[in-house]
Amino acid sequence: MATGPGIEIAIRDKRFAPDAPPLFADFRLSIAPETVTALVGPSGVGKSSLLRMIAGIDTAFDGEVRVGGRPAHQAPPPGFVLQDARLLPWLTAIDNIRAVAPGIEDSRALALLDRVGLHGAADSYPHELSGGMQRRVALARAFSVNADLLLLDEPFVSLDRTLVDELQALFIELVEHERPTVVLVTHLVEDAVRLADRAVTLRGRPATIISDIVLDTSRRARTPADHARFAAQIAAAPAQVMG
Amino acid sequence: MVFPNRLFPTPVAVAVELWDMALHGKLIADLGKTLYRATVAFLIAMAIGTAIGIALGRVRWADRLFASWVVVGLNLPAIVIAIALYIWLGLTETALITAVVLNKVPLVVVTVREGVRSFSRDYDELAAAFRMPFARRLRFIFVPQLMPFVLAAARTGLSLIWKIVLVFEVLGSDGGVGFRVSVFFQFFDITGLLAYTVAFILVVLAFEYLVMRPIERRVLRWRPAQA
């Protein structure tokens, strides 16, 4: 069974160019193991950059990001879900999984595809799959690389409402079963209130945390009223003093 | 009416001539020679052109340095290159093949460079996100994106190579389809000329349907709609 790592973020300084204003300055955030944390904020605030630092892809900053006690770039690669499905169109569904997780056994890859509701689609090329099915493959691919740490970068944009509901239900089911640590980047409060245990809202440059809310009702039990309550908290919470 | 007949032979006459030259003449030997030259030149040109094309597509200063040379290479008359090389290297096989390669390489370079430039940043990001090592990036991300362009270069390149190999054979060689064609010219032998042309076209068609198409189908089978 998966056991998600904890994440400790302490960024003293992150900027894209030496003379650019800092994206992050003295930014601290710690993420508990096996939780789903949503990073909410407008585009350009640095959410995706933060995600890439957690992923260990972006190491050009002053400070330290530790995943499970190890520097991020030395930790096992996370399961990443990007904005679009971003499958390699020249590979079948299962080969898309094998391409990023070369050591994976066929049975495990097939089980993951089954898991996301794609039984029998392993040998289909992406163009033979619907948009929703492609996203499912992307989710399975992320789990195949690392079922302990999932990083999702705006995974539900440019999808219609039904598809979003469907994928979010699938996401919740997978998360409750596998218990990974999840960091979800989104500009939509609705995504956060449905999926997250904790919603961290970022604003400004350098980015600061303007609210940090624990969503205490279990995901499955949340009613629309809960969603509205959380959304109001995220929108209105006064900036909290971060330790 | 002997004269017009000799210049406009019937298809039957051409077919008979073709058959006769294949059995008793030098047709097979000539075709073999030409095919050998075309194949060697093609393989060398594709290898060199693809390598240079990738370099120019990836490395900006290299492109700035050599882009105008590529244009010069593209537009340099084939016959000039051939004559220069024949003078320098003599009427040799090496001179002929080198001349063909030099004519072909710029075309491959341009096509492949375009291909490399069209590479999607999205897939680079994907590779970075999953920390794919270089060998796997090459295999799963670069090569598949490059293949359609290499195939396009191969297809246009082959047609060019057939043609210039023949011209260079006319210019100076000891055999091959082009050489024989120049002999037919001296005798005003249209029947022989057409017979050789037909043989040549048959080879090209066979190559297209037995080699190029199956390769394309295999390499590009992931593409949604294939005409």
Side-chain angles (χ1 to χ4, degrees):
Chain A
M1 183 82 336
T3 43
I7 302 169
E8 293 296 330
I9 300 165
I11 301 166
R12 276 188 294 279
D13 188 76
K14 165 70 189 173
R15 49 187 92 201
F16 285 122
D19 51 353
L23 202 56
F24 294 100
D26 291 320
F27 181 89
R28 281 171 183 282
L29 181 66
S30 91
I31 292 172
E34 298 179 25
T35 56
V36 177
T37 302
L39 297 175
V40 190
S43 52
V45 77
K47 310 184 296 287
S48 292
S49 302
L50 189 56
L51 204 61
R52 276 158 184 72
M53 290 186 269
I54 297 172
I57 306 165
D58 184 350
T59 51
F61 63 92
D62 180 19
E64 165 162 84
V65 174
R66 298 185 86 85
V67 175
R70 298 159 73 182
H73 62 278
Q74 287 169 17
F80 218 111
V81 180
L82 297 148
Q83 273 132 5
D84 44 28
R86 208 157 306 175
L87 303 177
L88 297 171
W90 40 84
L91 297 179
T92 57
I94 193 161
D95 282 340
N96 260 288
I97 291 177
R98 289 194 191 116
V100 296
I104 196 167
E105 291 146 34
D106 282 5
S107 57
R108 163 100 175 127
L110 287 169
L112 277 165
L113 285 171
D114 269 1
R115 206 59 194 287
V116 297
L118 287 177
H119 184 78
D123 295 322
S124 300
Y125 283 98
H127 77 266
E128 297 165 329
L129 302 171
S130 70
M133 288 162 95
Q134 292 184 20
R135 307 263 177 157
R136 287 163 183 265
V137 177
L139 207 52
R141 178 174 65 182
F143 267 98
S144 73
V145 170
N146 189 342
D148 297 341
L149 175 61
L150 284 186
L151 305 178
L152 293 83
D153 191 356
E154 302 275 9
F156 305 113
V157 292
S158 66
L159 287 174
D160 63 56
R161 195 67 243 175
T162 338
L163 219 45
V164 171
D165 290 346
E166 207 180 291
L167 283 171
Q168 292 191 340
L170 174 66
F171 173 81
I172 290 173
E173 185 194 312
L174 285 171
V175 165
E176 312 247 300
H177 187 269
E178 304 268 343
R179 312 241 20 110
T181 303
V182 179
V183 181
L184 164 72
V185 157
T186 178
H187 67 286
L188 293 173
V189 172
E190 301 94 87
D191 289 349
V193 300
R194 282 158 188 262
L195 304 176
D197 303 310
R198 176 184 177 197
V200 176
T201 309
L202 304 176
R203 280 285 188 288
R205 177 155 301 190
T208 47
I209 295 171
I210 61 160
S211 77
D212 187 348
I213 307 292
V214 173
L215 315 183
D216 45 11
T217 320
S218 131
R219 270 179 287 273
R220 284 181 188 284
R222 283 175 203 170
T223 60
D226 292 323
H227 292 156
R229 176 165 57 87
F230 292 141
Q233 280 180 5
I234 291 170
Q240 296 174 354
V241 180
M242 297 309 300
Chain B
M1 296 302 275
V2 173
F3 185 68
N5 227 351
R6 202 164 75 80
L7 289 193
F8 301 97
T10 62
V12 176
V14 172
V16 169
E17 180 78 1
L18 176 62
W19 185 249
D20 191 48
M21 286 196 294
L23 289 185
H24 311 295
K26 293 213 151 80
L27 176 64
I28 302 298
D30 284 337
L31 264 181
K33 249 182 188 155
T34 299
L35 281 177
Y36 164 76
R37 288 166 181 156
T39 311
V40 172
F42 173 78
L43 293 178
I44 297 176
M46 285 304 291
I48 296 178
T50 306
I52 298 179
I54 291 174
L56 297 195
R58 288 303 264 197
V59 186
R60 197 171 292 166
W61 63 261
D63 190 43
R64 272 210 300 272
L65 206 58
F66 296 111
S68 44
W69 286 103
V70 174
V71 176
V72 170
L74 274 175
N75 293 287
L76 212 58
I79 209 84
V80 172
I81 298 178
I83 291 176
L85 282 168
Y86 277 151
I87 292 174
W88 287 331
L89 304 179
L91 292 179
T92 58
E93 203 75 11
T94 317
L96 195 154
I97 289 175
T98 312
V100 178
V101 168
L102 284 179
N103 272 291
K104 165 72 180 131
V105 162
L107 267 178
V108 183
V109 168
V110 169
T111 313
V112 170
R113 182 180 61 184
E114 241 17 79
V116 170
R117 281 180 183 162
S118 77
F119 278 11
S120 166
R121 292 233 163 269
D122 289 355
Y123 297 133
D124 290 345
E125 197 189 0
L126 176 78
F130 286 105
R131 297 193 208 156
M132 289 168 81
F134 181 72
R136 252 192 292 147
R137 285 185 199 208
L138 200 66
R139 176 166 164 218
F140 292 117
I141 295 188
F142 295 147
V143 171
Q145 287 186 93
L146 196 59
M147 272 329 271
F149 293 91
V150 171
L151 284 176
R155 153 103 13 98
T156 55
L158 262 178
S159 61
L160 180 83
I161 280 185
W162 294 134
K163 289 173 193 172
I164 53 181
V165 164
L166 255 69
V167 173
F168 294 175
E169 283 176 348
V170 171
L171 200 61
S173 71
D174 56 352
V177 176
F179 172 79
R180 202 64 56 194
V181 162
S182 72
V183 174
F184 293 144
F185 177 39
Q186 285 156 31
F187 290 94
F188 273 39
D189 184 354
I190 283 284
T191 316
L193 181 69
L194 289 182
Y196 260 63
T197 309
V198 169
F200 200 67
I201 287 174
L202 288 178
V203 170
V204 170
L205 284 179
F207 188 79
E208 169 75 17
Y209 285 95
L210 299 180
V211 181
M212 285 306 283
R213 295 279 171 109
I215 290 181
E216 267 180 354
R217 255 199 304 279
R218 225 186 93 71
V219 172
L220 303 180
R221 74 188 150 198
W222 55 272
R223 282 195 168 176
Q226 272 204 63

